[in-house]
Amino acid sequence: MIARTIVDVPASQTDRVFDYAVPEEFEHLIKPGIRVYVPFGPRKIQGFVLELTDTTDVPAGKLREISRLVDLTPPLTNELMMLADWLKDQTLSYHISALQVMLPAAMRASYRKNVVIAEGAELANYSEAILRVFQQDDGISDWDKWQQKATKEERKEVAAGLRRGDFLVIPVVKSNETEKRQTAVYPSINAKLENLTAKQKLVLDYIHNLGDHPEDHAVARILEATGVTRSIIDALVKKGALEKKTEVIQRDPYEGREFHDQKPAALMQEQTEALQPVDEAVRSGRAETFLLRGVTGSGKTEIYLQAIESVLQKGEEAIVLVPEISLTPQMVTRFKGRFGSRVAVLHSALSKGEKYDEWQRIRNKEVDVAVGARSAVFAPFENLGIIIIDEEHEASYKQEDAPRYHAREVAIQRGKHYSCPVVLGSATPSLESFARAKKGVYRLLTMEKRVNDVKMPDVSVIDMREELRSGNRSMFSETMIAAIQTRIEKNEQAVLFLNRRGYSTFIMCRDCGYVAECPHCDISLTYHSSQRKLQCHYCGYSHTIPTLCPECESESIRFFGTGTQKAEEALREVFPDIRVIRMDVDTTSRKGSHEKLLEAFGNKEADVLLGTQMIAKGLDFPDITLVGILAADSMLHLPDFRASERTFQLLTQVSGRAGRHKRPGEVLVQTYTPEHFSIQHVKEHDFLSFFDDEMRVRKAGGYPPYFFLTLVHVSAEDLEYTVQVTDRIARFLREHLSGQTLVYGPVASQIPRIKDRYRYQCMIKYKVEPKLTETLQTMMKTFEGELNRSDLAIVIDTNPNMML
DNA sequence: GTTGCGATGATT
DNA sequence: ATCATCGCAACA
């Protein structure tokens, strides 16, 4: 028997099937989809068995045997194995990457080299220090890592030892499956209950009255509940009254949290009309894509919940995708409240182990709803009845590293396989999706009214040029100050939005124009007041603030641009007693801090929530009556064809935080370009007009959705070489692609250098290009050699999010 | 002869 | 990706 295997080596030369002989002992256990350990050259690695056959072209001398099986049952379903095949072609990524991305991180293998003292080694040649390293533990546990922190002398010494054979390298393949275990005790069936002390009786009674929940039987839990010491339990075990067991338990990330049962809400007419066709598609099992455009607060979540209800009734399963940062407790609460323990939650705030357990619960059919971020689109269900993507326009649905897939496209592909509907929901759909809906590719569902007829907030645009003219040089307009003042007086809350973290965006010398830049990246350094340092947001480089200009030694070095830190400071200057909670990457990096800050704001421990885009979503507090957008045009002038779209979406999203309940909301938008259409249409809550205006711009510029884009990104340490390679790629593509397809480049990336690597790109614009994948693959083949021997990197991004 | 290095080729 | 091998130069 021959196993056709994809090996775990993400490289172009190994991105193909390798045949292995299946030892007889495994023949009845092995199945397609099972992972195996195989010898590959001198080492041992993991691989995925694609299929089993009886023939091979590999000469008998070269054919090697599978060492052992990793799994007893295939971790990925048949459908997901097929999906990986589709995914690798779509994204031009390696087959192995497409397979690995579908597994939880804990199941991906890691490789390290353990260095130990060989038998019969002559140790007299080695220094004390080195021998001490080897005496600890099992020698050097990870050779590659150790080499990085060791000194040159140490490295040389060990290398010499390896050559002489005194030290030995043992390659270790580790698949990280981490099951959580606990020690639990259960009453023995034929227990002799004699001569018990009072405390022992107490514990025994307690255990007898426990239910079936394995967690309740954990020794640690019992000790805590009864207040006795471990010795009491040990004594009972010795006497035979209790039995000790080690068992695998599942972590519950939401342990101790209560979820109140939530009944389906009565729907408004618009909601009923939107739900009906989805429901019908669920019932008849039709692969149809719906675009549900509903204004903020129109009750989209309720539609999702009720559609899922139908799916569950049919005995099928549901996937709900939400943007990473909106996985706030609010969303989880609603799903858990409605579907209870039948819900698995998958998102980045969980530990690797927790994600693994949630994933296993799906694989073992213990749940039938998965709520999660992008990668949850690969949830290993086998009877999918619906896939829902909330906030479908969100950029985070596109994975930024290989395989560069878009969750929306994956969802639609899976929907086809299971013949089930896909629902894309948003208040501000992406232009691509809305255009498809207008063409009839997707079915459009619209909800223009907020639940309970709550009014859309009033949006006023404040022209900051006027403010400047009238002498106000601060970042807060008069109107904004007055509005915040009123909120404080009325004990209401305000949300202030500034899409830039740090203190200032750059520092510049007023005399000579010098701007502090990162020495490794072509980008200005940002000042962070908490560490009193300049920082590069791309490579993490940091430097002290110069007091004198390094160029002209002038003292007039000043901060320009505003970040959240500075905004907080400025706010305190105006309102000395104001209570502010700031939310940005810097204040929410610790686990759980995001939730904590939101909770504090919800408990009215602050008057103002000041933050970057992470506060744009999911916030739903009754006392927010003011939303202030401090710099609406901060994203508008980025050299990205989606800049207007992003601005409109973000502003609409943030505005939607105001007045969602009884009190009316007010939104103030500060801008230097009040006439820009994406700002004007936010004012009128007018998505349709925005769409029309922006479509004209896209048509004129030849951008999506009128054209498809594919970006070829080239980087290397040498500038000339980078440009030269990009140019060769551009020529190659022009030569091989059809006449209607446009190839631009080479052009420098938006940030021409990051971490000392120059970055150039080449953009392909096309309408129909059947040969594209093939051509790009040939192109990569021709550069294979160069990619191997230089530091060159070529990345292909189909349908890129941004033009980085 | 030994050691250190980069380039080259193969992995079933 | 990673390992082994080969060739070449520097060194003893």
Side-chain angles (χ1 to χ4, degrees):
Chain A
M1 198 192 260
I2 303 294
R4 313 197 69 220
T5 308
I6 295 293
V7 293
D8 185 12
V9 182
S12 57
Q13 292 129 299
T14 52
D15 186 32
R16 60 187 177 86
V17 166
F18 286 85
D19 288 353
Y20 284 89
V22 181
E24 217 183 271
E25 48 187 315
F26 299 145
E27 280 193 358
H28 62 288
L29 288 169
I30 200 164
K31 282 176 214 127
I34 276 191
R35 293 173 299 164
V36 290
Y37 286 109
V38 291
F40 196 65
R43 58 212 172 111
K44 217 160 241 156
I45 55 170
Q46 263 193 26
F48 273 85
V49 175
L50 286 192
E51 52 177 334
L52 296 161
T53 60
D54 291 314
T55 56
T56 176
D57 298 335
V58 178
K62 283 200 159 186
L63 191 69
R64 297 172 80 180
E65 282 194 341
I66 283 171
S67 313
R68 65 186 180 88
L69 309 184
V70 178
D71 309 294
L72 288 173
T73 53
L76 297 180
T77 63
N78 269 336
E79 180 245 338
L80 287 174
M81 294 294 288
M82 277 156 51
L83 189 68
D85 212 53
W86 170 86
L87 190 66
K88 71 159 212 295
D89 291 336
Q90 286 288 307
T91 60
L92 289 134
S93 57
Y94 305 129
H95 202 157
I96 191 67
S97 313
L99 289 163
Q100 299 278 29
V101 79
M102 299 184 180
L103 292 175
M107 287 179 78
R108 286 170 220 161
S110 61
Y111 303 88
R112 65 186 166 88
K113 278 164 243 149
N114 182 207
V115 183
V116 295
I117 297 177
E119 238 174 282
E122 186 54 65
L123 296 178
N125 303 323
Y126 303 97
S127 71
E128 287 269 320
I130 285 297
L131 292 177
R132 224 175 297 128
V133 170
F134 278 97
Q135 258 129 42
Q136 285 161 12
D137 312 319
D138 284 329
I140 299 168
S141 71
D142 190 331
W143 171 231
D144 290 326
K145 243 193 224 158
W146 187 85
Q147 275 180 298
Q148 279 171 22
K149 60 164 198 184
T151 64
K152 217 174 183 180
E153 279 69 36
E154 290 173 322
R155 266 200 304 269
K156 271 193 177 162
E157 222 182 319
V158 179
L162 285 169
R163 238 189 337 272
R164 278 182 228 130
D166 288 336
F167 302 142
L168 206 64
V169 175
I170 304 172
V172 185
V173 195
K174 207 173 105 204
S175 58
N176 298 324
E177 269 103 313
T178 52
E179 275 165 337
K180 194 177 176 181
R181 284 162 202 284
Q182 70 174 11
T183 330
V185 284
Y186 291 89
S188 305
I189 298 156
N190 41 7
K192 292 173 227 113
L193 302 175
E194 295 148 7
N195 306 329
L196 295 179
T197 67
K199 274 192 180 167
Q200 289 173 351
K201 260 187 202 139
L202 172 93
V203 171
L204 213 51
D205 267 357
Y206 174 80
I207 294 172
H208 270 289
N209 291 326
L210 284 175
D212 290 335
H213 273 288
E215 286 99 54
D216 294 336
H217 287 265
V219 171
R221 180 79 65 95
I222 295 168
L223 294 181
E224 202 184 317
T226 56
V228 301
T229 58
R230 164 155 288 134
S231 58
I232 310 278
I233 289 186
D234 287 343
L236 285 167
V237 172
K238 221 178 233 167
K239 277 187 178 168
L242 290 177
E243 262 174 49
K244 231 183 207 177
K245 280 186 195 163
T246 306
E247 48 196 24
V248 173
I249 56 154
Q250 298 212 319
R251 305 168 185 82
D252 181 0
Y254 293 92
E255 194 184 337
R257 209 83 69 73
E258 270 185 49
F259 295 99
H260 303 289
D261 284 2
Q262 289 180 1
K263 297 258 142 44
L267 297 184
M268 313 241 306
Q269 193 188 338
E270 269 191 342
Q271 287 179 298
T272 314
E273 282 165 15
L275 177 60
Q276 197 270 326
V278 177
D279 217 44
E280 199 271 314
V282 168
R283 280 173 216 278
S284 56
R286 192 153 26 88
E288 188 173 3
T289 306
F290 294 92
L291 178 62
L292 172 60
R293 185 177 72 85
V295 298
T296 53
S298 59
K300 291 187 287 289
T301 310
E302 190 57 38
I303 308 272
Y304 306 154
L305 290 164
Q306 298 202 13
I308 294 170
E309 207 98 55
S310 305
V311 169
L312 299 189
Q313 263 168 30
K314 246 184 115 185
E316 295 178 336
E317 299 122 358
I319 294 175
V320 184
L321 300 188
V322 288
E324 190 64 54
I325 41 186
S326 80
L327 265 173
T328 48
Q330 292 187 358
M331 197 73 171
V332 173
T333 305
R334 277 190 84 175
F335 278 87
K336 289 235 172 191
R338 192 69 63 88
F339 305 116
S341 56
R342 304 293 292 173
V343 180
V345 178
L346 296 159
H347 65 100
S348 67
L350 303 184
S351 71
K352 267 190 192 176
E354 286 169 335
K355 271 189 222 156
Y356 171 77
D357 282 356
E358 292 289 286
W359 193 86
Q360 284 297 348
R361 289 175 66 210
I362 301 171
R363 189 73 180 100
N364 299 335
K365 305 194 188 308
E366 291 165 37
V367 297
D368 24 39
V369 180
V371 182
R374 180 180 60 233
S375 64
V377 78
F378 298 115
F381 285 125
E382 286 178 287
N383 270 305
L384 267 178
I386 197 168
I387 303 176
I388 291 162
I389 305 187
D390 189 30
E391 310 284 358
E392 71 88 30
H393 61 277
E394 272 297 307
S396 66
Y397 286 125
K398 176 77 194 291
Q399 172 146 318
E400 292 293 346
D401 39 46
R404 298 182 160 69
Y405 67 92
H406 197 296
R408 189 199 297 139
E409 309 312 320
V410 176
I412 292 171
Q413 181 71 12
R414 292 194 79 183
K416 268 189 219 157
H417 181 270
Y418 286 106
S419 194
C420 77
V422 173
V423 178
L424 312 174
S426 174
T428 51
S430 62
L431 259 76
E432 280 99 326
S433 293
F434 198 73
R436 283 189 201 167
K438 281 189 99 173
K439 269 174 71 182
V441 183
Y442 303 159
R443 180 146 162 205
L444 185 63
L445 307 168
T446 310
M447 299 195 299
E448 298 275 12
K449 283 198 193 119
R450 285 183 144 186
V451 171
N452 300 328
D453 284 317
V454 172
K455 289 235 154 31
M456 293 301 285
D458 275 331
V459 179
S460 321
V461 174
I462 300 162
D463 188 346
M464 291 303 277
R465 295 171 305 192
E466 294 278 336
E467 292 284 324
L468 211 58
R469 257 173 250 142
S470 61
N472 178 8
R473 309 188 73 211
S474 91
M475 57 184 300
F476 299 107
S477 59
E478 298 290 333
T479 323
M480 187 73 77
I481 297 284
I484 297 172
Q485 179 76 47
T486 324
R487 294 315 178 294
I488 299 175
E489 281 162 12
K490 286 162 76 178
N491 192 27
E492 293 174 353
Q493 292 182 299
V495 170
L496 295 183
F497 176 81
L498 180 62
N499 201 17
R500 209 185 268 147
R501 71 193 176 98
Y503 188 88
S504 71
T505 29
F506 60 100
I507 72 164
M508 187 172 82
C509 168
R510 286 204 167 167
D511 288 343
C512 71
Y514 160 86
V515 173
E517 283 181 346
C518 175
H520 308 289
C521 314
D522 288 333
I523 192 101
S524 54
L525 294 168
T526 301
Y527 174 59
H528 282 246
S529 63
S530 45
Q531 298 139 71
R532 317 212 90 259
K533 275 192 166 168
L534 295 174
Q535 222 185 62
C536 172
H537 283 184
Y538 285 87
C539 71
Y541 169 88
S542 77
H543 195 270
T544 49
I545 320 139
T547 44
L548 295 179
C549 170
E551 299 272 299
C552 71
E553 306 195 347
S554 135
E555 285 180 24
S556 356
I557 200 147
R558 296 284 183 277
F559 299 117
F560 287 87
T562 310
T564 43
Q565 285 180 4
K566 187 170 168 187
E568 183 180 3
E569 196 180 287
L571 202 58
R572 286 188 203 284
E573 266 168 41
V574 187
F575 304 105
D577 297 325
I578 200 166
R579 297 170 306 159
V580 184
I581 291 179
R582 196 182 89 213
M583 275 182 78
D584 51 34
V585 187
D586 304 304
T587 63
T588 56
S589 49
R590 276 216 334 272
K591 196 185 169 179
S593 51
H594 187 258
E595 282 184 26
K596 243 179 236 153
L597 291 176
L598 281 182
E599 201 183 295
F601 188 65
N603 293 337
K604 299 203 75 174
E605 287 167 36
D607 311 300
V608 170
L609 179 67
L610 167 69
T612 55
Q613 42 187 322
M614 64 173 63
I615 64 170
K617 273 171 230 79
L619 271 187
D620 191 356
F621 298 118
D623 290 329
I624 301 175
T625 57
L626 171 69
V627 166
I629 291 153
L630 299 181
D633 21 30
S634 62
M635 316 177 71
L636 202 52
H637 308 299
L638 296 175
D640 177 352
F641 71 91
R642 278 187 233 268
S644 302
E645 185 182 350
R646 293 263 157 72
T647 302
F648 179 82
Q649 288 164 344
L650 201 61
L651 296 189
T652 306
Q653 215 70 241
V654 184
S655 304
R657 302 306 110 209
R660 293 171 72 93
H661 297 265
K662 295 205 177 81
R663 306 186 201 202
E666 180 187 11
V667 178
L668 296 179
V669 180
Q670 296 188 161
T671 174
Y672 288 94
T673 46
E675 66 285 348
H676 192 283
F677 66 86
S678 43
I679 289 172
Q680 281 302 319
H681 294 317
V682 168
K683 196 168 139 189
E684 307 299 334
H685 308 286
D686 189 355
F687 173 79
L688 297 177
S689 301
F690 167 77
F691 176 80
D692 291 340
D693 283 349
E694 178 63 10
M695 282 298 268
R696 270 192 283 278
V697 176
R698 298 287 176 93
K699 192 173 188 179
Y703 284 112
Y706 289 98
F707 280 86
F708 290 107
L709 293 186
T710 291
L711 206 61
V712 181
H713 184 100
V714 180
S715 71
E717 276 183 33
D718 186 75
L719 172 61
E720 227 175 297
Y721 182 58
T722 311
V723 180
Q724 187 230 330
V725 169
T726 319
D727 188 50
R728 276 153 61 203
I729 290 174
R731 281 165 198 272
F732 180 92
L733 294 173
R734 281 193 193 104
E735 199 177 305
H736 289 82
L737 295 173
S738 77
Q740 280 92 329
T741 297
L742 301 165
V743 178
Y744 295 85
V747 275
S749 293
Q750 213 181 108
I751 301 153
R753 188 179 52 133
I754 292 181
K755 291 185 195 171
D756 290 320
R757 293 178 65 85
Y758 288 93
R759 311 161 75 242
Y760 269 70
Q761 61 192 28
C762 169
M763 189 171 60
I764 309 164
K765 279 187 185 175
Y766 63 98
K767 285 204 165 169
V768 192
E769 187 58 81
K771 281 189 304 180
L772 185 64
T773 303
E774 192 197 328
T775 309
L776 288 169
Q777 275 165 349
T778 332
M779 184 272 286
M780 288 305 274
K781 269 258 143 52
T782 55
F783 282 93
E784 205 169 74
E786 273 174 86
L787 285 165
N788 274 332
R789 75 187 105 82
S790 63
D791 66 335
L792 178 70
I794 304 176
V795 166
I796 299 170
D797 194 351
T798 51
N799 306 316
N801 251 344
M802 276 200 286
M803 324 273 290
L804 276 180

